[in-house]
C-alpha cells in the first residue's frame, strides 16, 4: 500500500525486507539475552523482560537507560499507528471511491477519543 508512493518501488521492497530481518535479529538477540540473564522461568513471568534487562545495565556515567528504551518504544508505536491510520484511510477511500481527506477527517476524532 505504501510502495506506489515511492519513486523506486524495488528499493522500497529491499528496504522493507532488510528492516524486517534486522528487527527480527534484534528481537531474537534481546530474547536470548533475557533468557541467558534471567533464566527461562523468570523471563517468561515478567511483563517486559527487555525493560528489566536494560535497568540492570550501566556504563559508569550513563545510568537509567530505561528512559531511552521507553522513548524509542513510544516513537515506534507512534510511527506504526500513523502508518496504520494512513493505510486504513487510503484503503477505505480507494474501496469506496472517495477522497483520502474525507476519511482522515472522519478517523482523526475517533483516534482522539481512543487516546484518552
Amino acid at each position: 500500500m505504501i510502495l506506489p508512493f515511492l519513486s523506486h518501488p524495488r528499493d522500497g521492497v529491499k528496504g522493507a525486507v532488510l528492516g524486517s530481518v534486522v528487527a527480527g535479529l534484534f528481537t531474537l538477540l534481546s530474547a536470548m539475552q533475557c533468557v541467558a540473564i534471567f533464566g527461562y522461568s523468570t523471563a517468561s513471568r515478567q511483563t517486559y523482560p527487555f525493560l528489566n534487562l536494560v535497568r540492570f545495565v550501566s556504563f559508569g556515567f550513563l545510568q537509567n537507560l530505561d528512559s531511552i528504551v521507553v522513548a524509542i518504544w513510544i516513537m515506534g508505536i507512534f510511527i506504526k499507528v500513523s502508518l496504520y491510520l494512513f493505510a486504513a484511510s487510503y484503503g477505505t477511500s480507494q474501496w469506496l471511491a472517495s477522497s483520502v481527506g474525507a476519511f482522515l477527517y472522519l478517523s482523526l476524532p475517533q483516534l482522539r477519543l481512543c487516546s484518552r
Side-chain angles (χ1 to χ4, degrees):
M1 181 148 310
I2 303 298
L3 288 178
F5 293 101
L6 298 177
S7 59
H8 303 289
R10 290 188 188 264
D11 294 338
V13 172
K14 290 177 188 176
V17 169
L18 180 66
S20 296
V21 168
V22 169
L25 286 175
F26 279 145
T27 303
L28 177 69
L29 289 175
S30 66
M32 288 173 55
Q33 287 176 348
C34 289
V35 170
I37 291 175
F38 295 128
Y40 173 74
S41 62
T42 305
S44 65
R45 283 184 275 130
Q46 293 176 349
T47 306
Y48 299 109
F50 185 72
L51 188 59
N52 291 334
L53 178 69
V54 171
R55 288 182 181 166
F56 283 118
V57 175
S58 65
F59 295 112
F61 64 94
L62 277 177
Q63 294 178 354
N64 297 333
L65 297 176
D66 53 343
S67 59
I68 296 170
V69 171
V70 169
I72 291 171
W73 277 349
I74 289 173
M75 286 188 295
I77 290 170
F78 176 76
I79 291 169
K80 199 180 298 186
V81 167
S82 300
L83 185 65
Y84 290 158
L85 175 64
F86 173 75
S89 299
Y90 188 73
T92 306
S93 69
Q94 282 190 340
W95 179 48
L96 297 176
S98 181
S99 67
V100 177
F103 287 101
L104 280 175
Y105 290 130
L106 289 174
S107 61
L108 287 176
Q110 295 170 356
L111 184 66
R112 174 73 175 134
L113 289 175
C114 292
S115 67
R116 287 185 173 211

